[in-house]
Amino acid sequence: TVRRVLPLENEAINECWIADRDRFAYEGLYHESRLKTPKIKHGGEWHEVDWQTALEYVKKTLECIAKEDGQDQIGIWANPANTVEELYLAKKLANGLGIKHFDTRLMQQDNRLAGSLQGAQWLGQSIEDLGNADAVLVVGANLRKEQPLLTARLRRAAKSYMALSVIASSREELHMPLFAHEVLHPNDWADFLSKLAQDTQSAVSDGLKQAEKAAVILGAEVQNHPDYAAIYAAAQQLAATTGAVLGILPQAANSVGADVLGVNGGQTVQEMLAQPKKAVLLLNVEPEIDVAGGAKAVAALKQAQSVMAFTPFESETLREVCDVMLPIAPFTETSGSFINMEGRLQSFHGVVKGLADSRPLWKVLRVLGNVFGLDGFEYDSSEQVLKEAVKQEGLSEKLNNQSTWQGASVQMASGLVRVGGVGIYHTDALVRRSAPLQATSHAQTPAARVHPNTLAALGLQDGGRAQAVQGGARVDVSVAADAHLPENVVYLPLHTANAALGALMNRIELERA
């Protein structure tokens, strides 16, 4: 069993550091909800079966739905934390079966950039180069929660030579000197960046322009914004006019890898929620919290004839919406590769045997290819899959943040907008089950924080209770006044306690309890 996690030292990436999230996530590996054997639901009851029976069930079900309704009625939702090998084989299986709807952008709401990007989105430079920049502007990131190690590097640089500016939806305590710290309503970000690109008198844009090395970096709140394309275009324009490098902070361990492989195609998850499929394959996804608008995702899955979960863990939601669950191994029990934010391919190996009947996802997908009789699924190791999936020599050529998109901003709805990102210890299935992490203050049920003026306008009391209403759901929340927030935003990070609500960066209402 895994009893301790230590950092692998690499000065170019993490130096000698490891985040608490990664140091203690292993405590979730042997949680009581760990799925130990394949299960199929019959007559509303779950039954344990062997792997052959489970895979034959998957084959028969997909073939039946494809024959009766067409492959267009099958969708695949894949976690961007899956490895290069897993995503590659999943896409290869989908292609072999004629399944065209495949998406890893689980939290993204605006897909208008698709087709206009010149390559895979990434940091735009090496981690070391960003740390050595003279001026950096970060937009829409909860830095310490999303990127703790990168933030430590930026902090050291900001205390010495870097002019670090932040545009955000809340005033995060960063414990470092900042050149500028603009707290703006998210609906104003696109216009603000456009004005920065045109205003030579702005201290921020002037600082970027005068710097020998500068960068404009976009965080998760930008990427999950309903007007992502317009904000992206404005940031690209700002980077071009100031000579800065445009970069993206990936939201998962292998977001860049998914982009490099080009696995996303057909309808997005959000489009599949609007037009529910007859069959959905969940690859390491807990839909109630991993997908933007979890309640809507669960509702869409309930309409399906078949939902097949490839998952390390059971959950109440999966037991309710699925008809088959296949136990896959977490990263400690398999080998694989990620492509990190700087475009570096990093491979790892398993350190313990798979628990009970769990199997590495790449092996499950390989065997499924064999069960369906598809060509090209003869692999003996993950290294063979990787060799076919990614050629290291051409990797850098696939990284390019430039977009040719031109269009207008989305007309944003008036009212309150929910901000706050994903809670630091609610980012994935493993950390959500780690007892030490869940015992920290950062993991506790968050209050809905709002500006005092907004609080007064809503007739709510600081320290009181309210009903958060979003996505057709209601959740009881405590309310706290926060003068450091813009007016008309609700700072309410995604947490298991409020996962029934709608998507982040969308409209939300607060009503008296």
Side-chain angles (χ1 to χ4, degrees):
T1 58
V2 177
R3 304 303 296 271
R4 191 182 187 193
V5 175
L6 297 173
L8 182 66
E9 295 187 15
N10 189 323
E11 286 298 316
I13 303 175
N14 62 302
E15 299 167 292
C16 63
W17 305 110
I18 187 173
D20 286 349
R21 177 171 56 196
D22 303 316
R23 187 184 297 277
F24 295 107
Y26 80 92
E27 290 273 8
L29 286 170
Y30 309 110
H31 190 270
E32 60 184 3
S33 64
R34 184 74 188 268
L35 182 62
K36 297 181 176 66
T37 188
K39 292 184 178 182
I40 294 176
K41 188 193 296 183
H42 283 304
E45 298 291 330
W46 283 100
H47 304 275
E48 295 184 355
V49 298
D50 57 41
W51 270 100
Q52 183 177 352
T53 301
L55 294 179
E56 287 292 341
Y57 178 90
V58 171
K59 176 178 183 289
K60 181 179 179 181
T61 302
L62 289 180
E63 286 180 339
C64 181
I65 291 176
K67 182 178 180 180
E68 292 183 1
D69 303 291
Q71 288 94 335
D72 194 58
Q73 282 299 313
I74 303 173
I76 298 177
W77 305 0
N79 197 314
N82 289 325
T83 66
V84 168
E85 295 85 350
E86 291 163 352
L87 291 177
Y88 176 76
L89 285 183
K91 187 61 175 181
K92 189 172 183 178
L93 180 70
N95 291 340
L97 299 178
I99 301 170
K100 65 180 181 180
H101 304 304
F102 190 115
D103 198 14
T104 64
R105 299 156 297 186
L106 305 180
M107 286 289 181
Q108 189 172 309
Q109 301 179 75
D110 182 6
N111 192 42
R112 290 176 297 161
L113 286 178
S116 73
L117 289 163
Q118 304 301 296
Q121 294 179 300
W122 65 306
L123 187 60
Q125 58 192 311
S126 71
I127 294 170
E128 283 189 304
D129 284 345
L130 177 63
N132 292 327
D134 304 300
V136 173
L137 171 62
V138 178
V139 185
N142 293 289
L143 276 171
R144 291 177 64 203
K145 293 183 178 181
E146 294 170 23
Q147 304 287 349
L149 296 190
L150 186 67
T151 302
R153 189 183 287 261
L154 292 175
R155 178 176 182 268
R156 187 175 66 244
K159 292 176 69 175
S160 179
Y161 52 84
M162 179 187 289
L164 179 62
S165 300
V166 172
I167 298 173
S169 61
S170 62
R171 189 171 294 276
E172 182 183 13
E173 180 55 68
L174 291 171
H175 304 289
M176 67 180 85
L178 295 177
F179 184 70
H181 198 172
E182 299 284 350
V183 180
L184 302 174
H185 193 288
N187 292 358
D188 298 331
W189 288 351
D191 284 343
F192 188 82
L193 291 172
S194 293
K195 290 175 181 177
L196 279 184
Q198 300 164 10
D199 185 5
T200 56
Q201 304 302 313
S202 165
V204 174
S205 58
D206 194 48
L208 292 172
K209 188 175 293 185
Q210 293 182 5
E212 184 177 340
K213 293 186 292 184
V216 176
I217 306 296
L218 305 181
E221 287 201 322
V222 171
Q223 297 167 55
N224 298 334
H225 197 290
D227 203 17
Y228 178 33
I231 300 172
Y232 193 94
Q236 181 173 288
Q237 180 187 17
L238 175 61
T241 57
T242 59
V245 174
L246 178 65
I248 301 293
L249 295 177
Q251 298 189 61
N254 201 30
S255 295
V256 178
D259 224 359
V260 165
L261 292 173
V263 296
N264 296 309
Q267 294 179 349
T268 65
V269 166
Q270 292 303 310
E271 289 169 334
M272 286 188 261
L273 299 191
Q275 300 175 334
K277 300 299 177 189
K278 294 292 180 64
V280 178
L281 281 68
L282 301 176
L283 305 186
N284 205 9
V285 173
E286 296 192 307
E288 71 275 20
I289 194 168
D290 288 334
V291 177
K296 191 175 181 181
V298 172
L301 294 175
K302 286 181 178 179
Q303 296 182 49
Q305 291 180 16
S306 178
V307 177
M308 308 172 186
F310 299 68
T311 175
F313 300 100
E314 296 185 63
S315 71
E316 184 178 335
T317 299
L318 291 181
R319 285 192 291 268
E320 181 180 10
V321 303
C322 295
D323 53 305
V324 60
M325 293 187 292
L326 305 176
I328 61 171
F331 73 97
T332 52
E333 299 167 18
T334 185
S335 55
S337 309
F338 298 130
I339 298 176
N340 74 3
M341 65 170 64
E342 66 176 12
R344 183 191 297 247
L345 183 68
Q346 297 180 279
S347 296
F348 61 92
H349 57 83
V351 294
V352 292
K353 293 181 179 180
L355 181 67
D357 275 342
S358 62
R359 299 287 186 270
L361 178 55
W362 75 265
K363 286 189 177 181
V364 177
L365 294 169
R366 181 206 65 191
V367 175
L368 259 181
N370 300 148
V371 170
F372 277 102
L374 301 177
D375 293 331
F377 279 82
E378 298 77 27
Y379 306 100
D380 296 320
S381 67
S382 64
E383 288 80 10
Q384 291 179 349
V385 182
L386 178 66
K387 185 176 181 180
E388 182 176 299
V390 177
K391 293 184 178 179
Q392 178 68 16
E393 313 85 62
L395 188 56
S396 61
E397 299 172 3
K398 299 177 181 178
L399 305 169
N400 193 328
N401 287 328
Q402 292 305 300
S403 167
T404 58
W405 183 85
Q406 292 181 334
S409 288
V410 171
Q411 185 64 41
M412 303 302 296
S414 59
L416 304 177
V417 171
R418 182 184 179 189
V419 303
V422 180
I424 185 172
Y425 299 142
H426 287 82
T427 51
D428 63 61
L430 204 54
V431 301
R432 291 192 286 263
R433 289 169 171 82
S434 170
L437 294 181
Q438 295 309 311
T440 66
S441 60
H442 292 290
Q444 302 314 301
T445 302
R449 290 163 42 195
V450 294
H451 191 278
N453 293 346
T454 305
L455 204 62
L458 295 171
L460 299 174
Q461 300 267 337
D462 181 20
R465 308 293 298 182
Q467 289 276 310
V469 183
Q470 191 188 25
R474 289 176 174 269
V475 173
D476 187 63
V477 296
S478 60
V479 178
D482 188 341
H484 296 304
L485 289 169
E487 293 188 32
N488 297 317
V489 304
V490 178
Y491 184 93
L492 186 62
L494 181 63
H495 184 283
T496 51
N498 59 47
L501 296 174
L504 297 165
M505 308 307 290
N506 271 12
R507 183 173 177 175
I508 189 172
E509 297 177 23
L510 286 181
E511 300 178 353
R512 295 182 186 180

